[in-house]
Amino acid sequence: MTERTNQIAASAPAPPVVRQLAKLAGQPGEIDQLIAKALEALKDSIPYHVAAFLTLDGETLEVRTTRGEGALQDGPHPTVALERHPTLRRVLETARPALLDTDGDTAREDHPLNGIVELPHDHPCLMVPVVIGDDPLGVLVFTAAEPHVYRPEIVEIATVYGVLIGLGLEAVRKAEQLEKLRERLEEENRLLVEETSAHADACAALDKSQSRAMRRLVRMAKQVAITDAPVLITGETGTGKEVLARAIHGWSNRAGQPFIKINCAALPESLIESELFGHRRGAFSGAVRDRPGRFRLADGGTLFLDEIGDLPAATQVKLLRVLEEGAFEPVGSDETVNVDVRLLAATNVDLEAAIEDGAFREDLYYRLHVFPIHLPPLRERPEDLPILVEHILEEIRHRTGRGPWTIAAKSLDRMRRYAWPGNVRELVNTLERARVFSPPGGELTVDPEAPERGRKGQRPKAKDLPTLREHEREYIERVLEKTAGKIYGPDGAAAVLDLPPSTLQSRMKRLGVQRSA
């Protein structure tokens, strides 16, 4: 140590202060209180009438803690604008202390606490930076009631304490970051357990199927699951395409890796590319940080693209490249990212019809159509109803803590006779509705046709009137006739009916309407 350093250490030893500052590393969440105690202890080494700790936030500082005769009471924290205090800005930019002599109106206005606390007349002000690494965190401000108090050795001591406070706050910040990381890992582990359970449930539900068509489908799915071939899952809305995708992932060699899903129809066209491939900060308005994208999140695992028929044309080009090369560039970047992702896709749209209308790329279709699997609608496999009902009621019981329930025999007979236009999704909603109006457990009475009845709960009895289904079928056929069978585009049937093309095609399948109508 130099002679001058020895003199400073001998003239102003402050072990209580050091102990207070050391506590910062071990007590996250109490920064203001600990700094307040540190400022109290500093008074023996650095005389002040009022002392304050200000934290930096952009172009303003917030007065977090004050001590001394002019200390603030508890309440909202005042803020200080840097543009009005040039000396304060210089302290933060240079990371060096400054001594401000406030003899005069201009100098007084430059004081960071001017107008915030009551200041003595012609008082000196010492400002000491608090820095974490190379990043300025804030400023310690000391104001004395007497002139010529802040001699060079006092300034040096205050600077050392500013460094110690910065080190203490850095330790606090790291402790808080570790705590947040621990919480995030716990949440990710919980989600992973739930995802793994969901895959296992999906596999179990399909393995229990009694339908001949479904048993054949399961055999096919298990055969393709152990490969990395893309799978295109088709079927009416609500048939359980995501359940099948989860099962394929669960039966695959990637079962322990991520299963990432995205609904291509649920996001606006301006965001879908960023969601899939990620972006760099500043790539577009609102991109305030880097985003990895779903392909990166799924690296090593499986990516499930639901409603792929609604994927924008520009994104289809990029997706085709990923399928062919396993590489892409995030939005706003020229860096090529390589990934190992198994792709599963699903749609209730007639992709071949979409190709004819120019809404879907033919080359992408054939890349996805390597192994197509068509899920039959629920009305074609009524023998699976009891198993599905049991599985769904068990999921509801697990989620709500209520139950268990059973289904009345008459209700099960009605369910077998019902056409289930909404398929498994409608079945889930029907059972949810039934349990809401039932006791916490016991036998459920289910009427799947109840939502389609009139306001008074009566079905129409006039046999000579066409049904709503017949009306809907006839109207769609008339529109298709007018549009020459065209579905997509501004002059297509979907636009005339004010429906998404995928919804129209789903209704056409349900009603048995052909494009040639």
Side-chain angles (χ1 to χ4, degrees), residues 11-79:
S11 63
V17 180
V18 176
R19 286 197 296 271
Q20 290 289 350
L21 298 179
K23 286 184 179 181
L24 289 172
Q27 301 185 36
E30 300 180 4
I31 293 176
D32 291 350
Q33 297 90 326
L34 289 170
I35 289 183
K37 292 178 181 178
L39 290 177
E40 290 282 0
L42 280 172
K43 198 167 188 178
D44 294 334
S45 306
I46 307 172
Y48 61 79
H49 173 77
V50 61
F53 176 58
L54 290 71
T55 55
L56 180 65
D57 183 12
E59 285 293 303
T60 62
L61 288 104
E62 184 179 59
V63 182
R64 295 288 296 268
T65 306
T66 58
R67 278 295 179 270
E69 296 180 24
L72 297 172
Q73 301 300 317
D74 292 338
H77 295 162
T79 56

Side-chain angles (χ1 to χ4, degrees), residues 105-319:
D105 292 340
T106 302
R108 187 179 183 86
E109 290 177 0
D110 196 15
H111 193 295
L113 302 181
N114 183 39
I116 295 175
V117 300
E118 186 176 347
L119 300 172
H121 184 65
D122 295 341
H123 51 278
C125 172
L126 174 61
M127 287 174 268
V128 177
V130 176
V131 179
I132 294 180
D134 295 328
D135 299 324
L137 176 72
V139 177
L140 291 170
V141 177
F142 303 95
T143 299
E146 301 175 3
H148 314 302
V149 170
Y150 297 129
R151 300 181 300 276
E153 60 268 25
I154 298 297
V155 174
E156 191 164 350
I157 290 173
T159 303
V160 171
Y161 288 148
V163 172
L164 290 175
I165 288 175
L167 291 173
L169 293 177
E170 183 178 21
V172 172
R173 181 175 291 183
K174 287 182 177 179
E176 290 176 341
Q177 289 173 345
L178 286 173
E179 178 63 18
K180 290 179 180 178
L181 178 61
R182 183 189 66 79
E183 292 175 354
R184 193 184 76 184
L185 289 174
E186 286 182 353
E187 177 66 10
E188 288 179 351
N189 184 62
R190 183 186 67 80
L191 293 174
L192 181 60
V193 170
E194 289 183 357
E195 283 288 303
T196 303
S197 176
H199 304 328
D201 288 346
C203 295
L206 290 172
D207 274 330
K208 292 179 181 178
S209 176
Q210 299 298 305
S211 162
R212 181 180 297 179
M214 286 299 295
R215 289 202 300 269
R216 178 175 176 273
L217 181 149
V218 167
R219 288 196 300 270
M220 293 171 55
K222 287 182 176 180
Q223 288 175 347
V224 75
I226 59 176
T227 75
D228 281 337
V231 178
L232 179 62
I233 304 170
T234 60
E236 295 179 8
T237 181
T239 48
K241 293 185 283 293
E242 182 180 334
V243 173
L244 177 57
R246 285 185 178 277
I248 291 173
H249 176 75
W251 289 321
S252 75
N253 298 327
R254 299 173 181 255
Q257 300 302 316
F259 176 87
I260 305 297
K261 61 180 180 179
I262 184 171
N263 189 320
C264 301
L267 291 169
E269 186 173 343
S270 58
L271 293 180
I272 185 70
E273 188 171 341
S274 170
E275 283 290 331
L276 282 173
F277 307 110
H279 64 248
R280 291 288 179 262
R281 184 176 64 179
F284 50 85
S285 178
V288 295
R289 60 183 177 84
D290 290 353
R291 188 186 187 106
R294 305 296 175 97
F295 266 101
R296 271 191 171 178
L297 294 175
D299 193 16
T302 301
L303 179 62
F304 174 52
L305 301 181
D306 199 7
E307 304 292 354
I308 196 168
D310 293 293
L311 199 66
T315 312
Q316 292 178 31
V317 177
K318 218 166 182 178
L319 177 60

Side-chain angles (χ1 to χ4, degrees), residues 232-242 263-265 304-311 345-354 360 365 373-377 421-423 425 487-488 500-510 515:
L232 179 62
I233 304 170
T234 60
E236 295 179 8
T237 181
T239 48
K241 293 185 283 293
E242 182 180 334
N263 189 320
C264 301
F304 174 52
L305 301 181
D306 199 7
E307 304 292 354
I308 196 168
D310 293 293
L311 199 66
T347 182
N348 60 2
V349 171
D350 184 346
L351 292 184
E352 292 184 358
F360 202 83
Y365 171 73
I373 297 179
H374 181 75
L375 264 172
N423 293 294
R425 185 178 295 124
I487 293 176
Y488 289 83
S502 59
T503 302
L504 174 57
Q505 289 180 316
S506 176
R507 292 190 185 182
M508 289 169 60
K509 284 186 177 181
R510 175 165 57 87
R515 284 167 62 92

Side-chain angles (χ1 to χ4, degrees), residues 404-459:
W405 296 279
T406 57
I407 297 293
K410 290 183 178 180
S411 294
L412 198 56
D413 287 340
R414 280 197 299 269
M415 293 168 73
R416 286 194 179 99
R417 293 194 299 269
Y418 183 59
W420 298 106
N423 293 294
V424 180
R425 185 178 295 124
E426 185 183 0
L427 176 61
V428 172
N429 294 339
T430 300
L431 294 174
E432 285 275 13
R433 183 171 60 250
R435 68 97 181 169
V436 167
F437 295 105
S438 300
E443 190 175 72
L444 291 181
T445 300
V446 181
D447 187 353
E449 295 179 291
E452 296 188 353
R453 294 181 182 178
R455 293 186 179 180
K456 295 183 180 180
Q458 300 295 322
R459 295 187 182 93

